[in-house]
């Protein structure tokens, strides 16, 4: 709504909008309408221009930031998206009572994890850019210990984020595998299973994943703030 209002305000400042409104008011006066009525015609046309401008000028909004394909972080995000799709398919099929609710919670957690992983991947992209620039300075100043230390710190920060992202994505994969096992064993008839304890293990994994990705998102936010 705020962006629509901003676009409408810019339309009001557009000289062509003012010209059109002036022509409309002048035409109304020329055909014999009172001055006040002619002014209302011009104001109405200006209002229409503002609404149309607010609706049409969507190209003012910046395009969403795109991930850089072919990077390690991009591939990890793709892997996580695959796990989320698998979890969604698991929830869409018939499930034993011990599995259904847990599977849906896992799918929701995976969707949130994917959002965080995308943010982290963008942060790593930004670190990669900073690392390239810092290495360029290091080549120009090979004798500067401070510059070399900066390059090392940026590289270490990158590796920390990638390691945490890798481990977090791996936990989602392990969660999916446990749910597959639970789904299979809970559906067996006449076979004694420990579905209750396995469901508890899955719930523990869900809690751990939520914590891991919350911490990971905080790390990514701090990293981007420093660049």
């Amino acid at each position: 709504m705020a962006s629509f209002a901003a676009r409408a305000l810019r339309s009001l400042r557009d000289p062509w909008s003012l010209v059109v409104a002036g022509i409309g008011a002048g035409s109304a006066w020329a055909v014999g309408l009172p001055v006040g009525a002619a002014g209302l015609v011009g104001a109405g046309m200006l209002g229409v221009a503002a609404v149309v401008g607010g609706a049409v000028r969507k190209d003012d909004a910046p395009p969403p930031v795109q991930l850089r394909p072919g990077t390690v972080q991009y591939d990890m995000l793709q892997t996580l998206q695959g796990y989320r799709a698998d979890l969604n398919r698991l929830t869409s099929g018939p499930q034993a009572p011990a599995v259904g609710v847990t599977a849906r919670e896992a799918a929701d957690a995976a969707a949130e994890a994917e959002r965080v992983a995308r943010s982290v991947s963008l942060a790593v992209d930004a670190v990669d850019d900073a690392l390239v620039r810092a290495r360029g300075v290091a080549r120009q100043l090979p004798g500067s210990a401070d510059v070399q230390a900066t390059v090392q710190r940026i590289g270490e920060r990158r590796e920390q984020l990638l390691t945490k992202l890798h481990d977090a994505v791996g936990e989602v994969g392990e969660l999916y595998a446990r749910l597959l096992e639970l789904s299979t064993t809970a559906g067996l008839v006449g076979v004694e299973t420990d579905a209750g304890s396995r469901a508890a293990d899955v719930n523990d994994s869900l809690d751990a994943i939520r914590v891991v990705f919350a911490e990971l998102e905080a790390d990514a936010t701090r990293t981007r703030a420093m660049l």
Side-chain angles (χ1 to χ4, degrees), residues 40-87:
L40 289 176
V41 171
M45 294 185 71
L46 188 59
V48 171
V51 172
V52 172
V56 172
R57 297 188 179 183
K58 295 181 180 180
D59 56 341
D60 292 341
V65 180
Q66 299 297 322
L67 287 170
R68 191 171 298 143
T71 62
V72 175
Q73 57 270 22
Y74 181 87
D75 291 342
M76 283 193 280
L77 178 60
Q78 294 291 105
T79 299
L80 180 56
Q81 289 173 339
Y83 291 148
R84 181 182 62 80
D86 290 337
L87 285 166

Side-chain angles (χ1 to χ4, degrees), residues 113-138:
E114 182 182 334
R115 182 192 67 78
V116 174
R118 174 179 169 78
S119 177
V120 174
S121 297
L122 288 171
V124 178
D125 281 353
V127 173
D128 285 343
D129 291 338
L131 191 58
V132 169
R133 293 193 296 269
R135 285 171 174 166
V137 176

Side-chain angles (χ1 to χ4, degrees), residues 161-180:
L161 279 176
L162 284 176
T163 298
K164 289 182 178 180
L165 180 60
H166 176 270
D167 293 344
V169 171
E171 290 197 32
V172 177
E174 292 175 3
L175 172 66
Y176 172 58
R178 289 175 181 172
L179 268 172
L180 279 177

Side-chain angles (χ1 to χ4, degrees), residues 4 41 67 100 112 186 188 198 205:
F4 178 89
V41 171
L67 287 170
E112 174 64 11
L188 295 178
R198 292 181 186 275
S205 296

